[in-house]
Every structure is written in structure tokens, then in C-alpha cells.
């Protein structure tokens, strides 16, 4: 018998004091037959005092979008912690190309100290740039402002301009202080504006046949390597992956692609839109997470190209990949069918992974984003009705115009309109359309709610990030970190789907955390004694 989900939600909400109740009520909704597209409050500030899992603007700009550009040096201007925690933890992998550079293994920071806060940090920043140029000779440099930089007013733009003159390379300043905007999402936007205005279009590469960009793909655990393997096997040429295992020059040539595949729409839909306006490049929503997702994306992409060779290669590759995995696909489906899952990730994975879970017969009963906007939940059609954009006052609006010399008509206008009815051309539907009736969507899920929902829904597995991981383990619930994939991956494409399923099956049939009795359940805490300390 299916649970009455509204009752579950009410039980979670009734724990709150009146003001918080009023707020959180608008962030937790149930999809029902009567209301299949419920309105959800999103992209607004967290109620102070609530333990949220959200990150910051700096994390979105430096950590997510810019950090993976491998032959640039990314200097965090600020205290060392900000640099360290946006460095290797995302597991955005990269390898140097033949003769190329790769600085991903390094964390660069000005390591601001108290005296820099008092007297200003620009001198130290200029020295850091000098040192970086002398030692590494990078193609380009990015400077990223952390909270104190904004508070003391260091002029990072002036330092960048001076460095450009001195060293003759591109130096970009990102005013992405952590407090700007509501979450990581503001940082994506700040990064994207500079990538679009100052990088894309600067390259001189010739247009190649069957060219695509993969946008919003960060090569976590090697995902983009698997996606590129499939695309190249079909015959596509991947110009640039923004931003996963990518070189600066590839980004400067991104305007030569014929189509943009938008994987994480939350972090990069702006660039896709701007590339269409300026260069005429169409974009489609992609989802390379899940076997069905990958197949649908490949078929949709083939329709954009509408070319007999591409149609034929697409079907041949799909058939080949499926036949190689058939046995394992069936095996894991038998093992996992009927299980239930909860998902709580940043701004798109909580949607994408539902497709992969469905491939193995697992139902998602609750899903949420840390910082998704309403369109990520409800679909792009709600954009005109979104009134609150808490980020907008911090992000300079840029105007984009058609580039008369380089604009290409890639899909003729009449075909564009027809195609729009068939494939997600310049469109994404949002997570609600993926979910079944009687399931829950939660925006900015917090620790209290996570604990309550686990007790009330008793899911077989809960996917989220490092901040929830230990709590889930203590509750004996199977979990995988969908941000970093713990120590494994890739999870994307055909091969990734099997890696993911293998780990889930191992977790379901060897529930390690259920075998452990936590110390607090065996012996009562001794009053007045410090556990693990000396008396
Ligand atoms: Fe896009 Fe991302 Fe995500 Fe994201 Fe992120 Fe990430 Fe994420 Mo962590 S860009 S929204 S800001 S898919 S870092 S690679 S895993 S929260 S769901
Ligand atoms: C970020 C980065 C993060 C955090 C991961 C997590 C990532 O938002 O600052 O909470 O497990 O993917 O590394 O989202």
C-alpha cells in the first residue's frame, strides 16, 4: 500500500515553529493526480539557523565552472580553506594532452593572513601571479575573490589588467565572493558571463563536420570520458566540454560547434542560450546519466544533424553497446527491481539520476535540489512567471547580439519549429515530469528533514553528498555520494550505468552499516566523562 505522502510531509513540517513552518511548507510539495505540476519555492535564502547543505557563490564559480579548465592557473584570492575545499574534492578529472599542460593537481592561493586583511591583499595577489607565470608559464590565469576580498575592497580587476600587460597572457578576475547571491548558482552565472564574453569566439579553429560541445559536464569520476567515447564512436567531433578535462583553447573555439548538448542545465543554460543568439548554434537538453537517458540523447542529437550517416552510426553504436552489456543489465535489474530511493543533490543530478535508477527498476520517492531554480523543478515553461531572482542584483546583465559575420543557420527555421515538437530543443522539462504520482519534491532539504523523511519513508537508498553521508551511514541507510561518486565512477553513459548498478547491488546485499551496532546503543554514555579522552 502506498503511503499518504501529504501526511508524511505534514508530520515533518509540524515539528517546526510557526514561522519556519510557513517558510518550509512552500519548499516541500507532493506530486499528485490532482496537482501533477506543483509550484515549489526555490532559489531563495535559507532560514537562518537551519543546517543547510548548500554551498556558496565562490564554490560555483571557481570550484565548479572554472576550476576544471586544466591549463589555466586558478588563483583563489583569500584564506587557504576556500582554495583547499574547491580543489580536488569534486573529483573533476583531467589529463594533459600530448605536449599540453595540466595544473589540476595544484591548489593555488594567496593564503591571505590578518595583515593582508588589514592592509589590503592586492600586492600579494600580484606577486602570486608573477610566481605562477615564472614557474608554470600557463595559457591563462583566473583570479577568484573570496568573501574577505569583497569586504576589504581589493581591486582584483586592476591587478588582472596590470598582469595582462606585464605577461601578455589572458588574466581574468571573477568577483565571485561567497556571499554574492543565494548559492553556488550565482557563481555559475558570474563564471559563464566571463567565459562567454571573453573566451568563446577568440579561437581561430576551422569548423569541422559533426561538431558538438558538451555543456555542463564536469568530468566527475571520468563521466565526460565515457560520454566523449560514445560520441566519438558515432563520428562526432567534440570541440569543447565545459568544463571537464578541457583546455583553454578548446573553449575559445566552442563557437565552431554545430550543436550544444546541455547536460547540467542549471549551471550553464545561459551559455547555451547566448551561443544560440550570437552564433546560431542550437542546443538540446541532454542526459547521459542512465542507459535510457543516453540512448534518448543520442537519438535526439541525430535528429538535429538529420544526416543518414549519423542516423546509421547512432543506431549501430546503441546496438553494439547494448549487446555488450545485456547480461549484466538484466542481472542487476533482477537484483534491484522494486527498491526505493531518495535523492538530494545540487541543481540537476537529482533529476538525471532518476533515469538511471528507473533503468534498474528503482523508484525515486523523494527528490530535491540544493539550489535548483523553479524551472529545474517545474520545467522551462515557468521561467516567465518566476518573480524572485535573489541573485540578479549581484550579477551584471550582459547583452548578446547576433554576430553578423559568424552567425550560421544550422537548422532552417521551418524545420526548427517542427523539431521543437519532437525533441527537447532549447527546452528542459524539470524533475517533476520524471517523478511518479505520490512522490515528494523538497527544495534545500536540511538535516532535520532528512532524518525525519528517512524514519517515515524508510527508503532502501539515499543519494546525496558528503554533508549527509555520515548521518545516512549512522542510520544504516545505503548511500552513494552523487557529487563525487565517493572513490569510483564514471556513472555516465553505458559503462557508467553498470558501475553504478554493481555498487548498488553490493550495497543492498551487503548492508555493512546495518551490521554495526553504534557504541551509544551498547553502553550508556557515562556522565561527566569525556569519551575517548583522559579522566
Ligand atoms: Fe550541475 Fe554539477 Fe549539479 Fe552543479 Fe554542484 Fe557538482 Fe552538483 Mo556538487 S554543476 S548543478 S554546483 S551537475 S558541484 S558537477 S555535484 S552540487 S548536482
Ligand atoms: C560545492 C561542491 C560540491 C560539494 C559536494 C558535497 C561538490 O557545492 O561546493 O556536498 O558532497 O560536488 O563537490 O557540490
Amino acid at each position: 500500500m502506498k503511503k499518504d505522502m501529504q501526511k508524511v510531509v505534514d508530520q515533518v513540517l509540524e515539528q517546526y515553529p510557526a514561522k519556519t513552518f510557513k517558510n518550509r511548507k512552500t519548499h516541500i510539495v507532493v506530486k499528485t493526480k490532482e496537482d501533477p505540476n506543483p509550484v515549489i519555492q526555490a532559489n531563495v535564502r535559507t532560514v537562518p539557523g537551519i543546517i543547510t547543505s548548500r554551498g556558496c557563490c565562490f564554490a560555483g564559480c571557481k570550484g565548479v565552472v572554472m576550476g576544471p579548465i586544466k591549463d589555466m592557473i586558478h588563483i583563489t584570492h583569500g584564506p587557504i580553506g576556500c582554495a583547499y575545499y574547491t580543489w580536488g574534492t569534486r573529483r573533476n578529472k583531467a589529463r594533459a594532452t600530448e605536449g599540453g599542460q595540466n595544473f589540476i593537481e595544484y591548489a593555488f592561493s594567496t593564503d591571505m593572513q590578518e595583515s593582508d586583511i588589514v592592509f589590503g591583499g592586492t600586492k600579494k595577489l600580484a606577486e602570486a601571479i608573477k610566481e605562477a607565470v615564472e614557474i608554470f608559464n600557463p595559457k591563462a590565469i583566473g583570479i577568484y575573490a573570496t568573501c574577505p576580498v569583497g569586504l576589504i575592497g581589493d581591486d582584483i580587476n586592476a591587478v588582472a589588467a596590470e598582469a595582462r600587460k606585464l605577461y601578455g597572457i589572458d588574466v581574468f578576475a571573477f568577483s565571485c565572493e561567497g556571499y554574492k547571491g543565494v548559492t553556488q548558482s550565482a557563481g555559475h552565472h558570474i563564471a559563464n558571463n566571463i567565459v562567454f564574453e571573453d573566451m568563446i569566439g577568440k579561437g581561430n579553429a576551422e569548423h569541422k563536420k559533426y561538431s558538438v560541445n558538451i555543456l555542463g559536464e564536469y568530468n566527475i569520476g571520468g563521466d565526460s570520458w565515457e560520454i566523449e567515447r560514445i560520441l566519438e564512436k558515432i563520428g562526432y567531433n567534440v570541440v569543447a566540454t565545459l568544463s571537464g578535462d578541457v583546455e583553454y583553447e578548446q573553449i575559445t573555439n566552442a563557437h565552431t560547434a554545430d550543436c550544444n548538448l546541455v547536460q547540467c542545465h542549471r549551471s550553464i543554460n545561459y551559455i547555451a542560450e547566448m551561443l544560440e543568439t550570437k552564433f546560431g548554434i542550437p542546443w538540446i537538453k541532454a542526459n547521459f546519466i542512465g542507459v535510457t537517458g543516453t540512448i534518448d540523447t543520442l537519438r535526439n542529437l541525430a535528429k538535429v544533424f538529420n544526416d543518414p550517416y549519423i542516423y546509421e552510426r547512432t543506431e549501430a553504436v546503441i546496438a553494439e553497446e547494448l549487446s555488450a552489456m545485456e547480461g549484466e543489465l538484466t542481472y542487476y535489474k533482477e537484483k534491484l527491481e522494486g527498491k526505493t530511493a531518495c535523492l538530494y543533490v545540487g541543481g540537476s543530478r537529482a533529476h538525471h539520476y532518476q533515469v538511471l535508477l528507473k533503468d534498474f527498476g528503482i523508484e525515486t520517492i523523494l527528490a530535491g535540489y540544493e539550489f535548483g531554480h523553479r524551472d529545474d523543478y517545474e520545467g522551462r515553461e515557468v521561467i516567465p512567471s518566476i518573480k524572485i531572482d535573489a541573485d540578479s542584483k549581484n550579477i551584471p546583465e550582459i547583452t548578446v547580439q547576433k554576430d553578423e559575420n559568424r552567425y550560421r543557420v544550422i537548422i532552417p527555421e521551418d524545420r526548427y519549429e517542427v523539431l521543437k515538437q519532437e525533441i527537447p530543443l532549447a527546452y528542459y522539462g524539470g524533475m517533476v515530469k520524471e517523478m511518479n504520482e505520490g512522490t515528494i519534491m523538497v527544495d534545500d532539504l536540511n538535516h532535520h528533514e532528512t532524518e525525519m523523511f528517512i524514519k517515515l519513508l524508510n527508503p532502501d537508498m539515499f543519494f546525496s553528498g558528503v554533508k549527509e553521508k555520515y548521518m545516512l551511514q549512522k542510520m544504516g541507510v545505503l548511500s552513494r555520494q552523487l557529487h563525487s561518486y565517493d572513490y569510483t565512477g564514471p556513472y555516465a553513459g553505458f559503462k557508467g550505468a553498470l558501475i553504478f548498478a554493481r555498487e548498488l547491488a553490493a550495497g543492498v546485499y551487503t548492508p555493512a552499516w546495518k551490521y554495526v551496532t553504534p557504541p551509544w546503543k551498547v553502553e550508556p554514555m557515562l556522565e561527566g566523562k569525556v569519551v575517548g579522552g583522559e579522566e
Side-chain angles (χ1 to χ4, degrees):
M1 241 263 299
K2 273 215 138 176
K3 276 194 168 43
D4 180 342
M5 291 303 208
Q6 192 53 55
K7 235 189 208 156
V8 169
V9 170
D10 292 344
Q11 273 174 278
V12 173
L13 287 169
E14 74 192 15
Q15 308 267 322
Y16 283 127
K19 225 171 148 186
T20 317
F21 172 87
K22 212 170 145 216
N23 177 294
R24 290 303 297 158
K25 201 165 116 71
T26 59
H27 293 267
I28 310 180
V29 297
V30 179
K31 173 172 172 171
T32 59
K33 201 171 178 183
E34 298 71 42
D35 193 4
N37 211 345
V39 174
I40 188 164
Q41 184 67 271
N43 193 34
V44 290
R45 291 195 183 276
T46 305
V47 176
I50 280 184
I51 305 176
T52 172
S53 288
R54 287 170 152 183
C56 68
C57 174
F58 166 79
C61 178
K62 191 270 172 184
V64 176
V65 178
M66 298 307 297
I69 306 174
K70 63 186 169 185
D71 57 353
M72 276 181 74
I73 280 186
H74 306 285
I75 302 177
T76 296
H77 187 33
I80 195 66
C82 303
Y84 191 78
Y85 288 106
T86 46
W87 175 40
T89 55
R90 283 180 68 249
R91 300 190 67 240
N92 48 299
K93 292 172 169 268
R95 10 175 209 241
T97 48
E98 193 68 34
Q101 294 168 306
N102 178 14
F103 304 118
I104 293 285
E105 306 298 332
Y106 294 91
F108 299 93
S109 169
T110 49
D111 183 20
M112 283 176 109
Q113 306 290 314
E114 205 172 336
S115 59
D116 305 314
I117 303 294
V118 176
F119 299 107
T122 49
K123 241 184 170 168
K124 202 170 184 186
L125 177 62
E127 275 163 33
I129 296 171
K130 181 170 184 278
E131 206 180 313
V133 171
E134 283 170 2
I135 300 174
F136 296 103
N137 192 24
K139 294 272 172 345
I141 291 179
I143 303 164
Y144 305 89
T146 58
C147 296
V149 169
L151 297 176
I152 64 174
D154 269 2
D155 188 349
I156 59 168
N157 279 297
V159 177
E162 182 65 21
R164 233 174 274 140
K165 265 194 257 154
L166 280 173
Y167 310 115
I169 59 167
D170 287 332
V171 182
F172 305 105
F174 296 82
S175 296
C176 56
E177 288 85 351
Y179 55 76
K180 281 205 170 152
V182 178
T183 58
Q184 292 95 315
S185 166
H188 300 148
H189 206 153
I190 289 169
N192 284 334
N193 281 354
I194 292 183
V195 167
F196 183 77
E197 284 208 305
D198 300 330
M199 299 182 190
I200 297 177
K202 272 185 161 181
N204 300 315
E206 292 288 315
H207 165 254
K208 282 193 190 146
K209 211 171 175 186
Y210 308 138
S211 283
V212 296
N213 293 316
I214 313 169
L215 304 186
E217 169 46 53
Y218 302 90
N219 201 27
I220 307 300
D223 275 354
S224 76
W225 292 336
E226 165 65 358
I227 298 168
E228 286 163 19
R229 178 189 73 81
I230 300 166
L231 291 170
E232 281 162 11
K233 193 170 167 184
I234 292 175
Y236 292 110
N237 164 52
V238 179
V239 183
T241 300
L242 269 82
S243 324
D245 191 20
V246 70
E247 289 183 334
Y248 178 57
E249 196 182 332
Q250 286 178 286
I251 295 183
T252 63
N253 287 316
H255 63 290
T256 63
D258 301 315
C259 180
N260 286 315
L261 286 158
V262 177
Q263 172 69 21
C264 171
H265 45 284
R266 173 37 39 223
S267 57
I268 210 156
N269 61 74
Y270 329 92
I271 289 197
E273 285 280 292
M274 296 189 285
L275 280 171
E276 183 152 27
T277 310
K278 186 164 176 184
F279 299 107
I281 308 171
W283 66 272
I284 58 166
K285 170 71 192 114
N287 182 16
F288 286 103
I289 300 294
V291 179
T292 329
T294 304
I295 294 175
D296 289 350
T297 301
L298 294 176
R299 290 193 172 137
N300 291 339
L301 182 61
K303 285 189 181 163
V304 170
F305 282 85
N306 201 25
D307 175 301
Y309 172 75
I310 288 290
Y311 279 128
E312 192 211 304
R313 285 299 301 147
T314 301
E315 291 310 319
V317 168
I318 292 172
E320 209 177 295
E321 295 288 326
L322 282 181
S323 91
M325 67 192 296
E326 208 174 5
E328 279 184 279
L329 208 58
T330 320
Y331 174 79
Y332 290 122
K333 196 165 176 190
E334 272 166 22
K335 294 275 171 217
L336 297 167
E337 184 111 57
K339 304 282 177 221
T340 55
C342 297
L343 287 158
Y344 178 59
V345 211
S348 68
R349 291 179 181 221
H351 172 180
H352 292 153
Y353 275 79
Q354 293 189 35
V355 177
L356 176 52
L357 292 167
K358 236 180 245 174
D359 283 340
F360 294 98
I362 303 168
E363 192 198 0
T364 302
I365 51 175
L366 177 145
Y369 294 131
E370 283 176 26
F371 50 80
H373 297 200
R374 270 189 59 200
D375 43 308
D376 303 316
Y377 291 100
E378 300 171 58
R380 242 181 122 71
E381 54 272 35
V382 301
I383 291 179
S385 61
I386 299 177
K387 289 194 188 73
I388 307 168
D389 184 358
D391 291 336
S392 60
K393 65 179 186 304
N394 291 312
I395 304 164
E397 268 306 312
I398 58 176
T399 3
V400 183
Q401 270 157 2
K402 189 170 171 177
D403 182 325
E404 294 295 345
N405 298 322
R406 295 189 288 181
Y407 189 94
R408 289 175 290 147
V409 179
I410 295 169
I411 308 175
E413 210 175 308
D414 47 346
R415 182 169 154 72
Y416 193 98
E417 288 314 310
V418 176
L419 210 52
K420 245 183 138 151
Q421 309 304 315
E422 285 178 42
I423 64 171
L425 194 56
Y427 177 76
Y428 46 83
M431 76 150 65
V432 71
K433 298 185 184 65
E434 208 66 62
M435 301 184 73
N436 291 338
E437 271 167 26
T439 56
I440 304 171
M441 292 199 305
V442 190
D443 180 65
D444 189 16
L445 182 75
N446 57 55
H447 278 211
H448 159 69
E449 289 164 9
T450 307
E451 202 177 322
M452 286 290 292
F453 277 123
I454 289 176
K455 285 182 184 154
L456 295 165
L457 297 173
N458 194 24
D460 294 300
M461 47 197 91
F462 199 115
F463 301 98
S464 57
V466 73
K467 296 153 202 148
E468 301 84 5
K469 171 180 165 161
Y470 300 100
M471 165 190 179
L472 297 169
Q473 288 176 342
K474 282 180 200 161
M475 293 181 85
V477 181
L478 167 62
S479 76
R480 304 297 302 154
Q481 291 190 70
L482 284 194
H483 298 256
S484 65
Y485 308 163
D486 293 278
Y487 314 101
T488 79
Y491 287 162
F494 297 109
K495 294 198 170 161
L498 286 185
I499 295 172
F500 186 69
R502 192 176 307 142
E503 290 172 13
L504 294 194
V508 167
Y509 293 95
T510 314
W513 297 106
K514 286 213 167 107
Y515 296 150
V516 181
T517 312
W520 62 87
K521 286 203 173 157
V522 199
E523 41 186 292
M525 290 285 222
L526 298 174
E527 241 174 77
K529 285 196 174 171
V530 180
V531 179
E534 281 184 14
E535 278 180 59

